[in-house]
Amino acid sequence: MRTATFAASAVLSFGLTLIVLTLAPLPAEAVAASLLVLVVAILCLGVVALLAAIRGGPDDLWVDRVPLVVVPPLAALTLWSLSVPGADIFAAAIAVFIWLVVGVVLVVRVLTLLARAPVRREPLALWTGALTVALLVFAAGVWDVSLRARFELSENAMNEVAREVIRGERDPETIERIGLWNVDNVRRVAGGMRFTVRNAGFISPTGFAYQADGRPPYDGIGGFRYYRGGWYIWEGGST
């Protein structure tokens, strides 16, 4: 029963974090401030947990709850940061930094638990479970699972908006959200439309371009990489 409760709380924390990040149309400044607060909190927790894990003793049982508190929302943040074309580099960098802190605590804690006799199975299972989640998140990032899922959920809305913009039924300058994307720089072009996803891309803004009759015409702004249907990833889109 205890294991089931832990698993349920972890899944709930993961789901709520992912839903809030994806659905809440927060300003970029609010997201950045929230992530910085998260970094400071995780860093402090990681340092204290690391010291407790090294010291050992009967009063460090709280350390074994660190995976439950940190890993689910961290996994959600990581997948969310990779769910936009070109990735949300700021959020992804924050996630990587936190993973490094958690990884150090993870290795030290697992070695400490294995060195003690008798081996405490429940804490060991929690930390090895955290390692498994980290590996799954890494695999999902390599295979663009979160980007594909977000595009799949947004595709119908994207197609509808594209048709409305092409037909002149909707003013591109009034569009701030398409499907699950917060967007900037929406524009109509000959036979298509394109938009950048807010905070997406490393050096230049990145988003999507739709062209019903073939490859989008090059206008000297960015490049295009075919993605699916009539959609291309628009890399280097100007704001």
Side-chain angles (χ1 to χ4, degrees):
M1 178 63 69
R2 198 173 186 184
T3 302
T5 302
F6 288 158
S9 63
V11 170
L12 180 62
S13 175
F14 171 84
L16 288 176
T17 303
L18 194 59
I19 289 171
V20 170
L21 288 172
T22 304
L23 297 183
L26 298 175
E29 296 78 8
V31 174
S34 300
L35 292 179
L36 288 176
V37 170
L38 178 62
V39 168
V40 174
I42 295 300
L43 183 59
C44 293
L45 178 62
V47 171
V48 175
L50 181 59
L51 294 175
I54 295 174
R55 185 188 70 249
D59 59 339
D60 68 350
L61 298 181
W62 67 270
V63 177
D64 298 318
R65 301 297 176 258
V66 169
L68 295 174
V69 175
V70 175
V71 171
L74 177 56
L77 170 63
T78 306
L79 293 176
W80 174 78
S81 71
L82 300 176
S83 69
V84 297
D88 185 321
I89 299 301
F90 179 74
I94 294 296
V96 169
F97 176 76
I98 298 176
W99 276 118
L100 291 175
V101 175
V102 173
V104 172
V105 178
L106 167 66
V107 172
V108 172
R109 188 57 174 168
V110 168
L111 292 177
T112 302
L113 290 170
L114 290 175
R116 295 178 183 176
V119 174
R120 294 161 54 196
R121 294 184 179 180
E122 184 179 288
L124 187 60
L126 287 173
W127 286 99
T128 53
L131 176 60
T132 301
V133 170
L135 294 175
L136 289 175
V137 169
F138 175 78
V142 170
W143 291 98
D144 287 334
V145 172
S146 54
L147 174 59
R148 296 183 187 201
R150 195 166 179 178
F151 182 90
E152 180 76 26
L153 293 171
S154 302
E155 188 174 12
N156 288 338
M158 293 167 67
N159 289 334
E160 181 178 354
V161 171
R163 288 191 293 267
E164 292 175 348
V165 170
I166 292 171
R167 292 195 297 257
E169 299 172 355
R170 192 166 180 183
D171 182 1
E173 295 185 0
T174 65
I175 300 174
E176 296 183 349
R177 188 170 176 88
I178 302 175
L180 296 179
W181 317 105
N182 292 321
V183 304
D184 296 307
N185 190 30
V186 184
R187 63 177 63 176
R188 178 170 55 244
V189 296
M193 64 90 70
R194 59 190 66 169
F195 63 88
T196 55
V197 177
R198 193 169 301 162
N199 300 325
F202 178 44
I203 298 176
S204 302
T206 304
F208 293 97
Y210 178 82
Q211 199 72 24
D213 54 358
R215 188 176 181 85
Y218 179 68
D219 57 4
I221 301 176
F224 302 94
R225 175 165 54 88
Y226 180 72
Y227 192 69
R228 195 171 96 178
W231 290 97
Y232 295 76
I233 290 181
W234 183 26
E235 299 173 325
S238 173
T239 57

